[in-house]
Amino acid sequence: MILKMDVIKNIVKERLQLHGIKPSLQRMAVMEYLMTHRTHPTADMIFNDLYPDIPTLSKATVYNTLNLLVERGVVRLITIEEKSARFDACMDPHVHFRCRSCGAILDVNVEAHWIPTMPDGVTVDMSETYCIGHCAKCNNLVNN
Amino acid sequence: MILKMDVIKNIVKERLQLHGIKPSLQRMAVMEYLMTHRTHPTADMIFNDLYPDIPTLSKATVYNTLNLLVERGVVRLITIEEKSARFDACMDPHVHFRCRSCGAILDVNVEAHWIPTMPDGVTVDMSETYCIGHCAKCNNLVNN
DNA sequence: CTTTGTGCAAATTCTTTGCACCAAA
DNA sequence: TTTGGTGCAAAGAATTTGCACAAAG
């Protein structure tokens, strides 16, 4: 019998190898974290959550790994929050929403990304849309 | 006779006052810089360009001023560049494009901002779209 | 006077780098 | 044995903060 944990680990491993990234323990852990936590975490959050289980993990390795993953196009770097970079392993088209009150960052599904008409000669290989406002939970708190 | 410089300074002053911001020398200088330089500068660029003319200017004041301007909705904070925040005094709807090669950040005019359909209860008061790719100039260099 | 803005330096926070060590091919 | 990958500490960069002084009403 194959455990669920092993299934996930295999998906993680394959995705890394597909992009020419050697699946070390630390890289697998970071990638698995991103795939199982859709919270758009910062490097710091990832480190803090993983550290208890992987005491040999260092913050520099988390940063290095995230940079590598972004470079190879395995995860998205999200700059919706000025303070620190956030990461997302979901590469399907979607936009991000940040709540001004609680700071939560949510995914909003869309058919496809909007790419505005560009001036002649300009080529676009990536586009991101960020929306900022108030989430349903925070709106309810105010109105009730 | 009214000098062109005075006209600009008056517009700057009015725009600040309209948002309840006292038009000090430093604030006027930062705002005028943003309105006359459509380069989406960083706080550092603004400081470096203004410093020769205003030797008493301090970098902290530039940061404080920019934060105030963003807070009051007089300028836009742009996070298209991971390293540092960029600012834009143009509040008309437009999207930003960054060239991977030369790093330039260009404005792209659009009719209106795209605001995707949000989940129930979510309200959006701001949206930003960033496109990344290669600008016309850099594409030409490669192809010729 | 009282309030508000500013300069300065120090502090914080986020991120990258250099280097020695370790593990796998 | 050679090639990465990692941990650690230190460096670096961007931004914020605390405080005393200056300016303006």
Side-chain angles (χ1 to χ4, degrees):
Chain A
M1 180 202 167
I2 297 173
L3 294 172
K4 193 184 164 192
M5 211 171 70
D6 296 328
V7 176
I8 294 176
K9 288 208 190 307
N10 269 330
I11 297 175
V12 168
K13 192 177 203 169
E14 276 166 23
R15 192 171 304 191
L16 291 184
Q17 289 176 328
L18 194 65
H19 292 265
I21 299 173
K22 292 196 182 164
S24 72
L25 178 73
Q26 291 82 348
R27 290 169 176 178
M28 296 263 300
V30 170
M31 188 64 198
E32 181 177 335
Y33 185 91
L34 282 172
M35 290 179 71
T36 54
H37 296 75
R38 300 295 307 282
T39 51
H40 314 89
T42 62
D44 204 57
M45 292 174 195
I46 299 173
F47 172 77
N48 285 314
D49 283 2
L50 290 179
Y51 186 66
D53 290 330
I54 311 174
T56 64
L57 184 65
S58 110
K59 202 174 273 192
T61 299
V62 174
Y63 275 107
N64 290 338
T65 300
L66 289 170
N67 284 345
L68 181 65
L69 293 174
V70 170
E71 216 169 75
R72 298 293 173 89
V74 193
V75 311
R76 280 209 239 175
L77 168 60
I78 304 174
T79 56
I80 198 172
E81 241 258 334
E82 309 86 47
K83 308 286 178 184
S84 49
R86 287 169 170 276
F87 299 89
D88 188 353
C90 171
M91 304 300 275
D92 300 332
H94 64 278
V95 314
H96 294 110
F97 168 86
R98 175 162 61 86
C99 176
R100 280 192 202 286
S101 307
C102 65
I105 296 180
L106 310 174
D107 286 333
V108 178
N109 292 319
V110 294
E111 300 272 325
H113 268 244
W114 178 51
I115 299 186
T117 315
M118 291 284 145
D120 280 351
V122 174
T123 51
V124 171
D125 47 53
M126 206 204 83
S127 87
E128 278 281 333
T129 295
Y130 303 140
C131 298
I132 299 182
H134 295 274
C135 72
K137 206 182 293 174
C138 291
N139 272 328
N140 270 335
L141 286 177
V142 170
N143 297 330
N144 296 337
Chain B
M1 181 199 166
I2 298 173
L3 295 171
K4 193 182 165 193
M5 212 171 71
D6 295 327
V7 175
I8 294 174
K9 288 206 190 310
N10 268 330
I11 296 174
V12 168
K13 193 176 201 171
E14 275 167 23
R15 193 172 302 190
L16 292 183
Q17 288 177 329
L18 194 65
H19 292 264
I21 299 172
K22 292 197 184 167
S24 73
L25 177 74
Q26 291 81 350
R27 289 170 176 178
M28 295 264 299
V30 170
M31 189 63 199
E32 182 178 334
Y33 186 91
L34 282 172
M35 291 180 71
T36 54
H37 297 76
R38 301 294 306 282
T39 51
H40 315 89
T42 62
D44 204 57
M45 292 174 195
I46 298 173
F47 173 77
N48 285 313
D49 283 1
L50 290 180
Y51 186 67
D53 290 330
I54 311 175
T56 65
L57 185 65
S58 113
K59 203 175 271 193
T61 299
V62 173
Y63 275 106
N64 289 338
T65 300
L66 288 169
N67 283 345
L68 181 64
L69 292 173
V70 170
E71 214 168 74
R72 299 295 173 87
V74 194
V75 312
R76 281 209 239 176
L77 168 60
I78 305 174
T79 56
I80 198 173
E81 240 258 332
E82 309 85 50
K83 306 287 178 183
S84 49
R86 288 170 170 274
F87 299 88
D88 188 352
C90 172
M91 303 301 276
D92 299 333
H94 64 278
V95 316
H96 294 110
F97 169 86
R98 175 161 63 86
C99 177
R100 280 192 202 286
S101 308
C102 66
I105 297 180
L106 310 174
D107 287 331
V108 178
N109 292 320
V110 295
E111 300 272 326
H113 268 245
W114 178 51
I115 299 185
T117 315
M118 290 286 144
D120 280 350
V122 174
T123 50
V124 170
D125 48 54
M126 207 204 81
S127 88
E128 278 280 334
T129 295
Y130 304 140
C131 298
I132 299 183
H134 295 275
C135 72
K137 207 182 292 175
C138 291
N139 272 329
N140 270 333
L141 287 177
V142 170
N143 297 330
N144 297 335

